[in-house]
Amino acid sequence: MTLDHRGDGIGRGSLLLALAAVLVRPAAGVGAERHSSAGPRESHEMSRIVEIRSYNLEPGTRDRFHTLFVREALPMLQRWKIDVVAYGPSLHDADSYYLMRGFPSVEGRQRSEDAFYSSAAWRQGPRDAILACIKSYTTVVVSLDDEALRALRRTGRQAPAVEEEVMPSSTAPKSDLATLLELNRDYIRSVRTSDVRRFEEILAEDFLCSLPDGSLIDRDRFLERAALPVTISNLEVHDVRIRLMGDVAIIHARTTYSGQDGRPGSGRYTDVWARRDGRWLAVAAQFTRN
């Protein structure tokens, strides 16, 4: 995420940049936002330009920043066909975050980012909330060969709380992950608002749900419960992890909420989704509350 000309600030992203320096070979005339007007020299060994952003966040905002990125910015970047190579919290402190994006060329990067960040969808959407979390950032632009690009993608799958795990024999398209992220948001939104109609659309006919007391209910009973007034408030989802295995996906996540008496609570859920006739449907769910 660019900062709309707020200015780069050298911060605590040195560990990330050191890692990138090992993996990638700087392009001629490219580095730290300074490059020649002609762009990098073409080579058959160079497959991609990668922008690495290291963010220094306001203290205590990283969880919120990550949630905003995954829920709002990431789907928007995907809709704009911007290749998000990797992203997630840095390991070396509690206030750092990184984002890596791939582009066909330095010039293509500039055109793509100018168009995206001047769009009404960004400026009228998550822009202000995301910028409020950021203290400063630094940017490096490098050229990347295929092997290094694959390595960064593997690293990026381990780092974020939203993770796509693919069986070795499977090729899971990014559109599946984006669809499942949106369906997961719809599921939680429907819990918050007792939206039975949306549940009817996304639950399979043979859907089953395991309740915290150990009982198992079918789709009809689940819909009856979903129609009742919600007894908790401030339901939020954290650490979402999506595992894609062909036509089956498993979503794990942690929840926090406030009970009827206002006391904070937490729990976890595991949902199983299956692709049927080209649509992803929830076939099973299990949740716990503390």
Side-chain angles (χ1 to χ4, degrees):
M1 290 165 286
T2 190
L3 295 191
D4 299 339
H5 311 294
R6 261 177 71 170
D8 287 359
I10 302 301
R12 293 184 286 263
S14 57
L15 181 63
L16 169 65
L17 301 182
L19 170 64
V22 173
L23 287 173
V24 297
R25 167 175 48 81
V30 179
E33 295 286 69
R34 290 193 294 271
H35 53 78
S36 67
S37 59
R41 186 171 55 207
E42 291 296 326
S43 166
H44 69 278
E45 298 177 354
M46 184 176 64
S47 63
R48 184 69 63 123
I49 293 295
V50 170
E51 173 199 82
I52 305 170
R53 286 196 181 271
S54 175
Y55 297 98
N56 295 325
L57 303 176
E58 297 290 347
T61 65
R62 189 164 73 176
D63 285 348
R64 173 169 170 75
F65 181 87
H66 179 69
T67 299
L68 286 167
F69 176 75
V70 171
R71 291 183 179 177
E72 305 290 341
L74 180 59
M76 193 177 297
L77 288 167
Q78 291 170 337
R79 289 195 296 271
W80 279 70
K81 309 300 182 184
I82 295 177
D83 180 18
V84 177
V85 175
Y87 62 92
S90 176
L91 300 178
H92 74 294
D93 70 17
D95 298 317
S96 296
Y97 200 91
Y98 71 89
L99 170 63
M100 303 183 191
R101 296 179 292 191
F103 301 91
S105 66
V106 171
E107 295 81 5
R109 165 184 171 266
Q110 193 64 55
R111 288 193 300 269
S112 181
E113 290 192 350
D114 286 348
F116 178 82
Y117 291 113
S118 64
S119 69
W122 166 251
R123 292 188 171 275
Q124 298 172 15
R127 176 183 180 273
D128 290 346
I130 287 174
L131 293 187
C133 297
I134 299 172
K135 180 184 292 184
S136 62
Y137 73 98
T138 186
T139 302
V140 170
V141 180
V142 294
S143 76
L144 204 65
D145 60 28
D146 291 340
E147 182 178 356
L149 181 61
R150 286 193 295 269
L152 285 176
R153 291 192 193 279
R154 288 194 298 270
T155 300
R157 283 177 181 159
Q158 296 170 6
V162 175
E163 179 180 80
E164 178 186 11
E165 291 189 355
V166 184
M167 297 293 285
S169 60
S170 171
T171 55
K174 286 187 176 181
S175 58
D176 282 341
L177 180 58
T179 297
L180 288 161
L181 284 169
E182 184 62 32
L183 286 169
N184 183 64
R185 287 192 289 267
D186 282 355
Y187 193 109
I188 297 301
R189 189 183 305 117
S190 298
V191 171
R192 293 191 189 109
T193 60
S194 301
D195 189 348
V196 175
R197 177 174 298 182
R198 183 57 177 147
F199 272 130
E200 288 175 338
E201 295 172 344
I202 64 178
L203 302 184
E205 290 297 326
D206 55 350
F207 173 83
L208 294 173
C209 179
S210 297
L211 302 179
D213 63 4
S215 59
L216 184 69
I217 60 175
D218 62 13
R219 183 178 186 269
D220 290 341
R221 181 68 182 122
F222 180 90
L223 293 174
E224 290 175 5
R225 289 173 58 93
L228 298 175
V230 180
T231 59
I232 62 173
S233 60
N234 303 318
L235 175 63
E236 297 292 341
V237 178
H238 315 272
D239 305 331
V240 178
R241 179 171 176 171
I242 298 178
R243 300 164 62 197
L244 274 166
M245 294 165 282
D247 289 335
V248 175
I250 303 175
I251 301 181
H252 306 273
R254 177 173 61 88
T255 59
T256 56
Y257 57 89
S258 299
Q260 285 182 294
D261 57 2
R263 292 183 180 181
S266 63
R268 294 200 66 87
Y269 68 83
T270 300
D271 294 338
V272 181
W273 296 77
R275 193 198 330 256
R276 294 180 176 176
D277 297 325
R279 294 179 58 213
W280 285 102
L281 296 172
V283 296
Q286 184 272 336
F287 69 98
T288 62
R289 289 179 180 172
N290 299 325

